[in-house]
Amino acid sequence: MDLPVGTGTRAYAVRAGTVTIINDSSCGQGVNLTGTDGAVYTYCHFSAWSVGNGATVAPGQQLGLTGNTGNSTGPHLHFGIRTGSTRRCPQNFLLALYDGVTPPAATSLPTTGCYYATLRTSGIPPLG
C-alpha cells in the first residue's frame, strides 16, 4: 500500500520486532520489521534510516524518514505486511492504528480484495 506523504515524514514501528535494512532498486532505502508476532512489516522509499540493521525496536519507535528512493515516482511510504510468503491487505491494520484501537492480528488480514481508494489517508498519522 502506498501512502502519500512528503519527504522527511517520520515512519514508526507498528509492532515490536527486529529490523533488517533494505537498500535495493525496487524498495530503495527501507526496512523489513520482523514483528514479535512473526509477521514481516515492510517500509519502502525512505530518505534516511533512523535505526541500524539488526536493531530491536518497540512499537512507535522511529524507523526512518519517508522519501522517494528506489522504484518510486514521487515521495510516499510503501507499507506492506506478510505472514510467511503470503501478502496481506494492510487496510484494516492501518485503519485500526488510525482509530486508536488494537490492530487485528496479521494472520487475520485478508489476502485478496485489497482496496486503496477508500482508505482514509487524509490526516492519517505516519504509521505509529
Side-chain angles (χ1 to χ4, degrees), residues 18-94:
T18 304
V19 169
T20 303
I21 295 293
I22 302 170
N23 193 8
D24 63 31
S25 62
S26 179
C27 184
Q29 295 179 14
V31 300
N32 276 327
L33 171 61
T34 302
T36 54
D37 61 352
V40 176
Y41 301 87
T42 301
Y43 302 71
C44 292
H45 311 303
F46 283 0
S47 61
W49 294 283
S50 300
V51 293
N53 197 48
T56 300
V57 298
Q61 185 172 337
Q62 185 174 319
L63 300 175
L65 301 174
T66 61
N68 187 27
T69 60
N71 187 11
S72 173
T73 59
H76 71 283
L77 176 67
H78 176 88
F79 178 75
I81 301 174
R82 286 189 331 271
T83 55
S85 61
T86 304
R87 291 182 179 180
R88 302 288 178 163
C89 298
Q91 289 86 347
N92 293 337
F93 189 93
L94 293 174

Side-chain angles (χ1 to χ4, degrees), residues 1-7 9 66 74-78 119 121-124:
M1 168 167 267
D2 292 332
L3 301 170
V5 294
T7 297
T9 302
T66 61
H76 71 283
L77 176 67
H78 176 88
L119 180 64
T121 57
S122 177
I124 192 168

